Amino acid sequence: MNKSFFLLSILVFLCGSTVFSQFTIKPGGQTGNSNYTNRNLNDSIKSSGEITVTLSGKTKYTDYKIFSHKRDTSYIDTTLTLKKDYKFNYLRTDNFELLGFHNQGQTFTSLGYDFSNLKLFPDIGFTAKQFSYLDIDEIKYYEVPTPTTEITYRTGLQQGQVLDALFTVNFSRRLNVSLSYKGIRSLGAYRRSLASHGNFRGAFHYTTKENQYEIRGHITSQDFFNEESGGLPQTEIDKFTNNDDNYSTRARLDVNLLNAENQFDSNRLYFDHSFKLLSSKDTVNNKDFSNLKIGHVFTHETKNYDFIQTTSTTSIFGSENSSDASNTKAESIITNNEFNLEFNSKYLLGKFKPKINITSYSYGYDSILNSNSNISKTKLKGNAISVGADWNAKIKNFQLNASGNISPGSGRLSGNFIQGEALYKKDSLFMVKGSLLLSSKSPNFNTLLHQSKYDDYNWQNNFSSVNTRNLGFSLTSKWLNADLNFTNIDNYTYFDQNNTPQQFADQIAYLKVKANKEFKYWKLALDNTVMYQNVSSGSSVFRVPEFVTRNTLYYTDYWFKGKPMLVNIGATFKYFTKYKMNAYNPLLAEFTLQDTEEIGFPTVDVFFNAQVRRTRLFFKIENVTSSFTEKNYFSAPNYPYRDFTIRFGLVWNWFI
């Protein structure tokens, strides 16, 4: 982490001379509606631009642009809203469907699942380590008229802090470069719960003078280190639930593991470039065939995971067979080259892009780690060729988007992927969307091959492809925001009570309905989000709470003469019904089934947030009722949720 914070100090130094902005946002600016489940790493507003601003010079707030992976445009937003409070956490996203462990930087229990945006190829796995991992579609690109910086700071637990820094500059209107780094070091309240993470991102975007050639790309280097306690043994859980005064200092409680830790690292190189063959014919209205482009997308991504335990002081993982292997990491390497041809045609109502992908993968270990295992191979390797197409069409207020990919053959990368959505938008009043996803792909690599010095954690499987079908509908309006998703899964792959991967023989049928509505009166508002879930088939292996609710009552007003400060003061109540929550296994970095404990509890957080010019201040007291309520709050079996905790932080934008 020393190297990581050195990189961060360079970013801060580059931005350190910034004091005044060329523009300021008037008090009262508000963002438009946004999908609160989306993962936005930077505050932004959609292109509807529903804020009021006062500008100096020739710049406008719409000149400070953010481009998503799908090339949607939003703008850097320095306003304060309730949704900013929901996003002010380590992930920088609304975590309504997640339940965090007591220390930020640890993993999360999923209270709901989203199958509407699956990946094309299988992943390395070890999913509990990847909640804060930034995928390709989560990297942002920028266009700014002046150098721009955003600094996010948040206090840690006991010792430590979170710092997320962005610096972006346009060397010309056609070339932008951005550097970002998010680092966390937080000690935690319980023993062996230290979290130390780093996410470095460097991105660029360039176009030639007449937009004939365009290239964008990024590099990422991400590392996630955690000490692992294994949770509390039963004797210590009894002390916690009985509220023993001698153990109000949580570090006095014993834990299951005293010298265990796990590490997840990743590096990625990505670039996407295209060349326009018919640059002088750039219109659909006057030409039947125009805007012909050839393109190439390159991705090279490595991920590796290692569980490290120098000496065994507990038998929670079973018997072991020591190995002399120097490298116990599981590593995956995926390289993909996509070649595409994109064109516009009025007969196709928009853009059509056929493509071909050439992919190679490698996953495994350097050697056999346990001589007691029956594993015959150390690596899974292969190559695949897939073909597909993307289609984007628009008819007045209707928009159609579709993407498909087929990888023939019988290898681990074989399968198919079809995704489509239809949208109808009526000005700024409402938007209705329907979506469909059909996916067939191999389970994650760690369910197929895994090695460990512990005898019970070695396997080599030949599982069938997981087939997923998801049908979704959503409504976004000023009256109500709602989502409905119905998902069927064949060959659902999970980890059972014995911590081994299995495939469910029957079908999973999963229904999720979520609605959000805010009521306002005077300077008060009540924001309500409710989620209902039902698993009509497969509930023995696929488990979710039936109801999850979040209700926030808050007050908004401008304080002091001249209205220099906007404040949000309120309380958030969150509750989920009891269910047999999955257990966390630190060796696998996965969640496994358990049948002995049901968990469900309410929490109340109190917050005071303020905006002064381009700075947003956040002050929060988490789980404020824990001092006098029943000690039944757990993030997973054996892992207590956080106690009464005070957090402080800020988000600060500079525009040179």
Side-chain angles (χ1 to χ4, degrees):
M1 293 300 297
N2 290 336
K3 180 179 72 173
S4 301
F5 279 101
F6 174 72
L7 290 172
L8 181 58
S9 65
I10 293 177
L11 290 177
V12 175
F13 175 77
L14 290 173
C15 319
S17 62
T18 303
V19 180
F20 298 106
S21 169
Q22 290 192 2
F23 71 92
T24 58
I25 295 181
K26 277 186 177 179
Q30 294 183 348
T31 63
N33 289 327
S34 62
N35 186 341
Y36 46 79
T37 62
N38 286 346
R39 187 169 183 178
N40 296 320
L41 302 180
N42 301 98
D43 297 336
S44 63
I45 58 175
K46 296 299 181 182
S47 55
S48 57
E50 297 176 4
I51 66 172
T52 303
V53 295
T54 298
L55 306 167
S56 62
K58 297 181 180 180
T59 59
K60 302 177 181 179
Y61 79 92
T62 53
D63 294 329
Y64 292 79
K65 299 177 182 178
I66 304 174
F67 302 104
S68 70
H69 177 70
K70 294 183 177 180
R71 303 180 189 275
D72 295 326
T73 304
S74 55
Y75 308 120
I76 294 177
D77 175 23
T78 60
T79 59
L80 177 66
T81 64
L82 179 63
K83 289 182 173 58
K84 301 293 181 64
D85 178 77
Y86 291 157
K87 293 179 182 179
F88 192 72
N89 51 56
Y90 171 58
L91 296 182
R92 302 286 312 269
T93 185
D94 188 339
N95 57 7
F96 170 74
E97 297 185 19
L98 298 176
L99 174 65
F101 278 41
H102 92 277
N103 190 20
Q104 56 186 352
Q106 291 183 299
T107 189
F108 294 82
T109 292
S110 295
L111 302 178
Y113 294 88
D114 182 10
F115 296 97
S116 62
N117 192 26
L118 297 180
K119 296 179 182 178
L120 181 61
F121 299 118
D123 188 51
I124 185 175
F126 309 107
T127 55
K129 295 290 291 185
Q130 296 198 59
F131 282 98
S132 54
Y133 183 78
L134 300 178
D135 282 311
I136 292 174
D137 59 354
E138 295 173 293
I139 303 299
K140 307 297 183 182
Y141 304 89
Y142 299 86
E143 180 183 301
V144 291
T146 62
T148 300
T149 301
E150 180 177 280
I151 300 293
T152 300
Y153 171 82
R154 191 170 192 251
T155 55
L157 189 61
Q158 300 298 321
Q159 298 176 18
Q161 55 276 319
V162 178
L163 193 59
D164 192 357
L166 161 71
F167 175 74
T168 179
V169 60
N170 269 70
F171 293 98
S172 70
R173 183 177 290 273
R174 296 178 284 110
L175 174 62
N176 174 272
V177 175
S178 64
L179 297 174
S180 309
Y181 183 81
K182 179 169 67 173
I184 176 177
R185 187 173 179 86
S186 184
L187 181 63
Y190 294 84
R191 297 185 190 180
R192 305 296 301 175
S193 57
L194 170 68
S196 180
H197 298 180
N199 300 70
F200 171 78
R201 299 94 73 194
F204 71 95
H205 178 214
Y206 172 76
T207 58
T208 55
K209 210 167 205 180
E210 296 181 355
N211 296 324
Q212 188 169 21
Y213 177 75
E214 178 185 12
I215 183 171
R216 64 173 181 171
H218 67 256
I219 59 172
T220 62
S221 179
Q222 306 180 67
D223 60 274
F224 309 99
F225 170 84
N226 289 89
E227 292 180 341
E228 294 292 351
S229 68
L232 303 181
Q234 187 58 49
T235 55
E236 306 303 288
I237 292 176
D238 293 339
K239 297 173 185 176
F240 171 79
T241 55
N242 294 330
N243 200 21
D244 192 323
D245 292 337
N246 294 322
Y247 296 92
S248 58
T249 300
R250 299 309 187 190
R252 295 178 180 176
L253 293 169
D254 292 329
V255 294
N256 282 315
L257 299 174
L258 299 177
N259 56 358
E261 56 196 37
N262 56 24
Q263 177 87 36
F264 187 95
D265 299 317
S266 173
N267 293 287
R268 182 173 64 240
L269 172 62
Y270 172 89
F271 63 84
D272 175 1
H273 58 141
S274 62
F275 183 80
K276 191 183 299 184
L277 299 177
L278 302 174
S279 59
S280 63
K281 301 178 180 180
D282 194 13
T283 174
V284 179
N285 298 322
N286 300 325
K287 303 293 180 181
D288 294 341
F289 186 79
S290 65
N291 222 11
L292 182 64
K293 293 181 182 179
I294 56 173
H296 171 230
V297 182
F298 174 80
T299 307
H300 179 77
E301 186 172 47
T302 64
K303 295 181 178 180
N304 57 70
Y305 170 80
D306 197 9
F307 177 80
I308 305 161
Q309 188 179 19
T310 53
T311 58
S312 301
T313 58
T314 179
S315 60
I316 62 173
F317 298 129
S319 59
E320 65 174 289
N321 181 39
S322 298
S323 172
D324 294 330
S326 59
N327 188 355
T328 60
K329 290 183 180 180
E331 182 179 51
S332 80
I333 302 174
I334 293 183
T335 302
N336 183 72
N337 281 280
E338 176 188 304
F339 302 92
N340 57 65
L341 181 68
E342 179 184 302
F343 60 90
N344 289 340
S345 173
K346 67 179 183 181
Y347 300 112
L348 294 174
L349 307 176
K351 295 180 181 179
F352 183 72
K353 182 166 70 174
K355 56 188 177 180
I356 181 170
N357 285 272
I358 302 173
T359 309
S360 65
Y361 74 93
S362 172
Y363 164 81
Y365 302 79
D366 288 343
S367 62
I368 299 294
L369 304 183
N370 191 322
S371 58
N372 290 337
S373 69
N374 295 321
I375 293 175
S376 60
K377 60 174 64 177
T378 59
K379 290 186 181 293
L380 307 177
K381 294 183 177 181
N383 300 281
I385 297 178
S386 59
V387 295
D390 298 333
W391 178 46
N392 305 103
K394 188 173 183 179
I395 311 171
K396 294 184 179 180
N397 292 334
F398 284 95
Q399 185 173 339
L400 302 173
N401 301 305
S403 179
N405 210 83
I406 298 176
S407 181
S410 57
R412 293 183 181 88
L413 296 188
S414 63
N416 58 72
F417 179 86
I418 300 174
Q419 186 176 35
E421 62 180 18
L423 300 88
Y424 177 79
K425 185 174 183 180
K426 180 64 175 176
D427 301 324
S428 60
L429 295 178
F430 68 89
M431 182 182 71
V432 180
K433 181 174 73 172
S435 62
L436 174 68
L437 181 138
L438 305 174
S439 170
S440 177
K441 66 175 183 178
S442 169
N444 288 335
F445 290 133
N446 68 329
T447 66
L448 305 178
L449 176 64
H450 187 270
Q451 292 198 74
S452 171
K453 67 178 182 179
Y454 292 99
D455 294 341
D456 294 336
Y457 289 83
N458 294 270
W459 53 75
Q460 182 177 328
N461 296 315
N462 187 23
F463 284 149
S464 302
S465 295
V466 179
N467 302 316
T468 306
R469 298 168 295 279
N470 183 84
L471 179 64
F473 300 94
S474 69
L475 169 66
T476 303
S477 71
K478 62 180 182 181
W479 308 288
L480 178 71
N481 298 322
D483 297 278
L484 183 150
N485 283 273
F486 184 74
T487 307
N488 288 112
I489 308 175
D490 296 324
N491 301 320
Y492 175 69
T493 306
Y494 63 97
F495 289 87
D496 63 13
Q497 293 91 332
N498 297 319
N499 303 299
T500 57
Q502 305 288 342
Q503 282 199 314
F504 189 52
D506 297 325
Q507 185 181 92
I508 302 291
Y510 170 48
L511 173 67
K512 181 174 75 171
V513 182
K514 182 163 60 175
N516 169 260
K517 172 63 178 176
E518 184 176 69
F519 300 93
K520 292 186 177 182
Y521 173 74
W522 186 56
K523 299 175 182 179
L524 299 176
L526 178 63
D527 184 80
N528 305 282
T529 304
V530 179
M531 180 170 67
Y532 168 75
Q533 300 177 105
N534 180 266
V535 183
S536 58
S537 174
S539 59
S540 60
V541 298
F542 189 90
R543 298 171 178 175
V544 290
E546 186 175 13
F547 285 99
V548 181
T549 182
R550 179 180 64 193
N551 311 92
T552 301
L553 177 64
Y554 67 103
Y555 161 87
T556 302
D557 194 13
Y558 289 97
W559 284 6
F560 308 115
K561 185 178 180 180
K563 300 181 178 180
M565 177 186 289
L566 174 67
V567 298
N568 278 349
I569 305 173
T572 298
F573 170 83
K574 187 174 181 180
Y575 171 74
F576 62 95
T577 53
K578 287 188 175 182
Y579 75 110
K580 292 181 179 178
M581 179 184 290
N582 289 342
Y584 172 60
N585 187 310
L587 189 154
L588 291 174
E590 296 280 5
F591 285 88
T592 66
L593 296 182
Q594 61 87 23
D595 287 325
T596 59
E597 188 173 353
E598 288 192 340
I599 297 175
F601 59 90
T603 59
V604 177
D605 299 339
V606 176
F607 61 87
F608 177 95
N609 303 330
Q611 177 194 356
V612 181
R613 300 191 68 187
R614 296 168 306 280
T615 303
R616 283 85 73 206
L617 305 173
F618 298 87
F619 181 85
K620 179 172 289 190
I621 304 175
E622 299 178 329
N623 203 5
V624 68
T625 60
S626 63
S627 300
F628 52 85
T629 56
E630 184 181 358
K631 297 296 185 291
N632 62 349
Y633 43 89
F634 288 82
S635 300
N638 303 336
Y639 287 87
Y641 183 67
R642 65 181 65 101
D643 298 303
F644 181 101
T645 305
I646 298 176
R647 295 286 173 84
F648 168 79
L650 60 86
V651 180
W652 190 8
N653 288 94
W654 301 334
F655 306 93
I656 299 177

